[in-house]
């Protein structure tokens, strides 16, 4: 009998439930889930869209100034430009609501990190509709930020601010060539 096959679903369910419990505690103000590790929510743990994490309560709004993306990943366990991390991202139309998702860090604004949201949805199929809605996407391929290995796209014309303390985990360092493609698209806005 293959015990890994038997135990894996049980372990995955337990990890999800612990993540949900920690997420609920974070919203109650007792703990703040940040990076994955002992006692912290794993990547992909859903967060209630109606309730931002405690660290996101004072969101000043999206970055609207000029942006010159910076590539400066450091293997120090802290979020840096050039890395894809998981965090809570406010919805564009209502900053009091949002979703836990991966983002590409591209710069800094004082205490905030500047980021571009990722999606695994293929916007090439609805490119004309996305253009009409004012959204522009760049393919970045797949990587360890997506547990299912799906190809991702980065939205290059919306820059969100991220509280470094609200980052739950680093997903990966984006390859420099891919980052440069994203940076060129951002500068082209």
């Amino acid at each position: 009998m293959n015990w890994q096959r038997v135990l894996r679903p049980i372990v995955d369910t337990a990890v999800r439930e612990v993540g949900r419990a920690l997420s609920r505690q974070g919203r109650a103000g007792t703990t703040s889930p940040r990076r994955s590790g002992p006692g912290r929510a794993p990547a992909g743990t859903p967060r209630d869209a109606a309730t931002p994490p405690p660290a996101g309560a004072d969101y000043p709004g999206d970055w609207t100034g000029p942006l010159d993306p910076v590539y400066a990943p450091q293997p120090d366990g802290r979020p840096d430009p050039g890395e894809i991390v998981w965090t809570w991202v406010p919805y564009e139309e209502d900053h009091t609501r949002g979703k836990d998702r991966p983002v590409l860090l591209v710069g800094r604004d004082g205490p905030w990190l500047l980021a571009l949201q990722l999606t695994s949805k293929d916007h090439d199929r609805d490119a004309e509709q996305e253009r009409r809605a004012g959204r522009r996407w760049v393919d970045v391929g797949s990587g360890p930020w997506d547990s299912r290995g799906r190809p991702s796209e980065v939205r290059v014309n919306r820059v969100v601010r991220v509280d470094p303390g609200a980052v739950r985990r680093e997903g990966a360092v984006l390859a420099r060539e891919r980052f440069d493609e994203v940076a060129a698209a951002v500068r082209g806005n």
Side-chain angles (χ1 to χ4, degrees):
M1 173 173 243
N2 185 342
W3 287 105
Q4 266 189 325
R5 184 178 286 167
V6 172
L7 292 176
R8 189 68 188 172
I10 295 168
V11 170
D12 288 347
T13 300
V15 167
R16 261 193 313 278
E17 291 305 313
V18 168
R20 287 184 184 129
L22 289 171
S23 181
R24 284 191 298 274
Q25 284 181 335
R27 287 195 302 273
T30 57
T31 65
S32 179
R34 303 205 194 262
R35 297 177 182 272
S36 62
R40 296 207 170 108
T45 301
R47 182 183 298 283
D48 181 357
T51 308
D58 297 322
Y59 187 68
D62 292 353
W63 172 261
T64 57
L67 180 65
D68 188 22
V70 175
Y71 188 80
Q74 299 293 319
D76 58 6
R78 293 188 303 256
D80 300 300
E83 298 174 355
I84 295 175
V85 301
W86 279 81
T87 190
W88 185 85
V89 176
Y91 291 139
E92 190 169 15
E93 65 279 0
D94 180 359
H95 291 163
T96 64
R97 295 176 49 83
K99 177 179 177 178
D100 198 53
R101 67 182 320 138
V103 297
L104 171 61
L105 301 177
V106 293
R108 297 185 184 278
D109 173 35
W112 298 92
L113 293 163
L114 299 177
L116 306 172
Q117 68 188 41
L118 272 75
T119 184
S120 58
K121 182 178 177 187
D122 184 5
H123 290 290
D124 292 339
R125 292 186 222 172
D126 59 357
E128 187 55 41
Q129 175 185 340
E130 287 295 297
R131 266 192 295 281
R132 283 194 306 270
R135 294 182 290 263
R136 296 192 38 228
W137 301 88
V138 171
D139 293 323
V140 292
S142 59
W145 58 85
D146 185 276
S147 62
R148 292 193 265 170
R150 298 171 293 187
S152 296
E153 296 181 1
V154 175
R155 182 166 174 197
V156 296
N157 66 330
R158 178 184 182 215
V159 182
V160 295
R161 288 182 173 102
V162 172
D163 178 341
V167 170
R168 288 192 312 104
R169 77 168 182 106
E170 292 179 76
V173 172
L174 189 63
R176 180 64 191 243
E177 305 79 45
R178 291 284 188 196
F179 186 89
D180 289 345
E181 291 172 16
V182 171
V186 166
R187 291 182 192 109
N189 278 333

